Amino acid sequence: MDALSRLAIHTITTKPWSLEQACEHYAAKGVAGISVWIEAIEGREPADVKRVIDAAGLEVPALVRGGFFCDPSPVERAKRVERNRGLIETAAEIGAQMIVLVVGATPGQPLVMQRNWVQEAIRQLLPTAEQCGVQLAIEPLHPMYAGDRSCVTTLGQARRICTELDHALLGVAVDVYHIWWDEHLEHEIKTIGERGELFAFHLCDWRCPTRDMLNDRALMGDGCIDLKTIRKWVHDAGFDGWEEVEIFSDEHWATDQSQFLDLIIDRYRGLLEPT
Amino acid sequence: MDALSRLAIHTITTKPWSLEQACEHYAAKGVAGISVWIEAIEGREPADVKRVIDAAGLEVPALVRGGFFCDPSPVERAKRVERNRGLIETAAEIGAQMIVLVVGATPGQPLVMQRNWVQEAIRQLLPTAEQCGVQLAIEPLHPMYAGDRSCVTTLGQARRICTELDHALLGVAVDVYHIWWDEHLEHEIKTIGERGELFAFHLCDWRCPTRDMLNDRALMGDGCIDLKTIRKWVHDAGFDGWEEVEIFSDEHWATDQSQFLDLIIDRYRGLLEPT
């Protein structure tokens, strides 16, 4: 099997490129998958998006990102569920295997209560996921986003929602950036994998020092995360899906994206080498 | 008992002020304690520092911050232990009840191994703490600092080091900024309190959105932390020590510090009111 056959890249990683440019460059370098951010296809017909991606011979691990379920108003929460139904349909229409759910957070609301809102919202979305044949992947975010982006901050919390709802189309997205610091990491990856709920594996690195809370992710190898060890745990847990590179970086976005893509591929190949 | 009799302020909170100015203003407003950052007394004789603080009638909950124990080199680690011995002596000389330990982290080193380094360093410091009659308070930092500032990111990890070393002078500093997101927070505070290891309680708030990873802490009430609930847990756990305001904020440092101090006191009084 070719080394890049499980490599996918998130469109946000090469944000300066249009969908067409991303597809063209990824395919030319042998990258097999593209995870599509909704911002990259705004205003476009899903069928048109699918045509572009199919023409490049790429597969689509994920549509990124749904979720953002949290709000004190039940009416607003219902609206957000509805919006996610639309996104799940979009995911199906562009041929995405899953939709990544960043669950949201409302400043000042108790986190336990918010995680209940999330669970209830996902419960309501499962029939749509079934109809569309699209997986839902809960992505825990780093605790530095607990105030306003995600009340789910650990794999354990994501896993417990999956256990409660117990549905074959519901699982977890493991993004090294968010969970690398967690002392329960190995155990959680193993448990989630054994339950068949490890749906996605996202790669980047944690820069030291980090200069910006949103857009200063590092290329694999330029940070402090022990990627090879985490990757081993993920594979030992039975994961054989896509390895998705997801880097938000003002620094890298300002560079030549073609050279950046070469670097990404180079670093990814390095991860595959035996230690 | 006067409402401010357990209120202390960290010198870093009013960074533009000299030690003299901080003492004068805190005392004039009825604040009873001052926690002293080493940066605020650099190059000064501890006896001189003590004289200034005593003259203002203030007490000193803590010298802030020792620690930073982590380094791959055993020789370097030994040097850092030695440096901390000096800081414990300084704490005693200025009349501080405790020294706060920010334990450090080295990018790329396994966190479990680093926590063992920390435990071993603290073990070596306990005799000095005894000789000086100074408490050592391990302060877990937020996981966003796990790369380069603190391999101890949860109260649970700090508590386990205390349990291992089991010494009356070793405990934990609970800073709301670092631990508010932790799902085990209530349980950990209760457990640490019951063991008599809850040494310090630090107050500020988490701004949404946070614009800077270091110097964008919010004044109590301007962020998303449920301070009254956490404070209740801390007091229910038997804590009757200082309530220390520790805010790093470029925004607040740029304002009139006397007005800022008034705001701090006002917000602190608000926390004391029944819900």
Side-chain angles (χ1 to χ4, degrees):
Chain A
M1 191 162 71
D2 178 67
L4 304 188
S5 66
R6 301 314 283 162
L7 174 61
I9 298 179
H10 282 233
T11 55
I12 191 81
T13 304
T14 55
K15 193 170 77 165
W17 278 342
S18 66
L19 178 70
E20 279 77 2
Q21 288 173 310
C23 285
E24 180 191 328
H25 283 92
Y26 297 178
K29 298 289 184 181
V31 175
I34 183 168
S35 282
V36 177
W37 276 54
I38 54 175
E39 289 80 356
I41 59 170
E42 211 178 334
R44 298 181 66 153
E45 286 300 318
D48 171 47
V49 170
K50 187 173 192 310
R51 204 174 305 122
V52 172
I53 295 170
D54 286 350
L58 296 171
E59 292 186 65
V60 185
L63 179 68
V64 192
R65 315 176 286 190
F68 299 101
F69 300 116
C70 297
D71 193 276
S73 153
V75 174
E76 177 60 29
R77 290 205 298 280
K79 278 187 198 163
R80 295 185 181 197
V81 167
E82 214 44 54
R83 180 170 175 276
N84 275 276
R85 278 192 220 286
L87 290 175
I88 293 169
E89 288 161 6
T90 303
E93 287 162 0
I94 69 168
Q97 174 187 328
M98 79 188 79
I99 182 164
V100 173
L101 300 177
V102 168
V103 300
T106 302
Q109 300 290 322
L111 294 171
V112 170
M113 184 178 72
Q114 295 195 68
R115 288 193 283 270
N116 287 336
W117 292 343
V118 169
Q119 184 171 309
E120 185 50 33
I122 294 175
R123 185 196 307 276
Q124 294 174 40
L125 289 171
L126 286 168
T128 311
E130 276 178 30
Q131 286 152 23
C132 295
V134 170
Q135 294 177 319
L136 309 182
I138 303 170
E139 180 172 13
L141 296 200
H142 193 284
M144 72 182 172
Y145 304 122
D148 44 12
R149 287 173 187 266
S150 177
C151 60
V152 171
T153 56
T154 64
L155 290 177
Q157 289 162 5
R159 172 178 54 76
R160 286 192 288 278
I161 293 173
C162 292
T163 302
E164 282 295 318
L165 297 179
D166 194 25
H167 193 288
L169 287 175
L170 180 61
V172 177
V174 175
D175 183 319
V176 295
Y177 191 77
H178 297 301
I179 48 72
W180 71 274
W181 56 273
D182 186 347
E183 67 187 320
H184 306 295
L185 187 55
E186 181 177 8
H187 169 76
E188 286 297 338
I189 287 172
K190 187 166 184 284
T191 306
I192 292 166
E194 280 169 356
R195 292 180 48 92
E197 293 170 342
L198 209 168
F199 283 2
F201 182 45
H202 296 180
L203 289 166
C204 69
D205 212 332
W206 182 281
R207 194 179 186 284
C208 291
T210 292
R211 298 159 298 185
D212 182 271
M213 286 178 69
L214 283 179
N215 296 324
D216 198 26
R217 295 193 184 195
L219 185 64
M220 297 84 77
D222 289 347
C224 67
I225 304 179
D226 184 355
L227 294 168
K228 282 198 172 186
T229 297
I230 297 177
R231 185 172 181 273
K232 182 178 186 305
W233 293 339
V234 164
H235 285 261
D236 287 352
F239 180 79
D240 62 356
W242 292 95
E243 309 204 61
E244 304 174 52
V245 174
E246 183 187 33
I247 302 173
F248 322 152
S249 165
D250 289 326
E251 183 171 298
H252 287 297
W253 289 332
T255 66
D256 180 294
Q257 297 298 285
S258 184
Q259 288 175 17
F260 180 37
L261 179 59
D262 288 341
L263 268 175
I264 288 170
I265 291 170
D266 189 54
R267 295 296 175 83
Y268 176 69
R269 287 187 191 277
L271 282 182
L272 307 185
E273 286 165 11
T275 315
Chain B
M1 192 161 69
D2 178 69
L4 304 187
S5 67
R6 301 314 284 162
L7 174 62
I9 298 179
H10 282 233
T11 56
I12 192 81
T13 303
T14 55
K15 194 170 77 164
W17 277 343
S18 67
L19 179 70
E20 280 76 2
Q21 288 173 309
C23 286
E24 181 190 328
H25 283 92
Y26 298 177
K29 299 287 184 184
V31 175
I34 183 168
S35 282
V36 178
W37 276 54
I38 55 177
E39 290 80 356
I41 60 170
E42 212 179 334
R44 298 181 66 152
E45 286 300 318
D48 172 46
V49 170
K50 187 171 191 313
R51 205 173 306 123
V52 171
I53 295 170
D54 286 350
L58 296 171
E59 291 187 64
V60 186
L63 179 69
V64 193
R65 315 175 287 190
F68 299 100
F69 300 116
C70 297
D71 193 276
S73 152
V75 174
E76 177 60 30
R77 291 203 298 279
K79 278 188 199 163
R80 296 186 181 196
V81 168
E82 213 45 54
R83 179 169 175 279
N84 275 276
R85 278 193 220 288
L87 290 174
I88 293 169
E89 287 161 7
T90 302
E93 287 162 0
I94 70 168
Q97 175 187 328
M98 80 186 80
I99 182 165
V100 173
L101 300 176
V102 168
V103 301
T106 302
Q109 301 290 321
L111 293 172
V112 170
M113 183 176 74
Q114 295 196 67
R115 288 194 282 268
N116 287 335
W117 293 343
V118 169
Q119 184 171 311
E120 184 50 32
I122 294 174
R123 186 196 306 278
Q124 293 173 43
L125 289 171
L126 287 169
T128 310
E130 276 177 30
Q131 286 153 24
C132 295
V134 170
Q135 294 177 318
L136 310 181
I138 304 171
E139 180 172 13
L141 297 200
H142 193 283
M144 72 182 173
Y145 305 122
D148 43 11
R149 288 176 187 265
S150 178
C151 60
V152 171
T153 55
T154 63
L155 289 177
Q157 289 162 5
R159 173 177 55 77
R160 286 193 288 278
I161 293 173
C162 293
T163 303
E164 281 295 317
L165 297 177
D166 193 25
H167 193 288
L169 287 174
L170 180 60
V172 177
V174 175
D175 184 319
V176 295
Y177 191 78
H178 297 301
I179 48 72
W180 71 274
W181 57 274
D182 185 347
E183 66 187 321
H184 305 295
L185 188 55
E186 181 176 7
H187 170 77
E188 285 297 339
I189 287 172
K190 187 166 184 284
T191 307
I192 292 166
E194 281 170 356
R195 292 180 47 93
E197 291 169 344
L198 208 169
F199 283 4
F201 182 45
H202 296 180
L203 289 166
C204 68
D205 212 331
W206 181 281
R207 196 182 183 284
C208 292
T210 292
R211 299 159 298 186
D212 183 90
M213 285 178 68
L214 283 178
N215 297 325
D216 198 26
R217 295 194 185 194
L219 185 64
M220 297 83 77
D222 289 347
C224 66
I225 304 179
D226 184 355
L227 294 169
K228 281 199 174 185
T229 296
I230 297 177
R231 185 171 181 273
K232 182 176 184 309
W233 292 341
V234 164
H235 284 262
D236 287 351
F239 181 79
D240 61 356
W242 293 95
E243 309 203 62
E244 305 174 54
V245 174
E246 183 188 33
I247 302 172
F248 321 153
S249 165
D250 288 327
E251 183 172 298
H252 287 297
W253 289 332
T255 65
D256 179 295
Q257 297 298 283
S258 184
Q259 288 175 16
F260 180 37
L261 179 58
D262 288 340
L263 268 175
I264 289 169
I265 291 170
D266 188 52
R267 296 296 174 85
Y268 176 69
R269 287 188 191 275
L271 282 182
L272 306 188
E273 286 164 10
T275 313

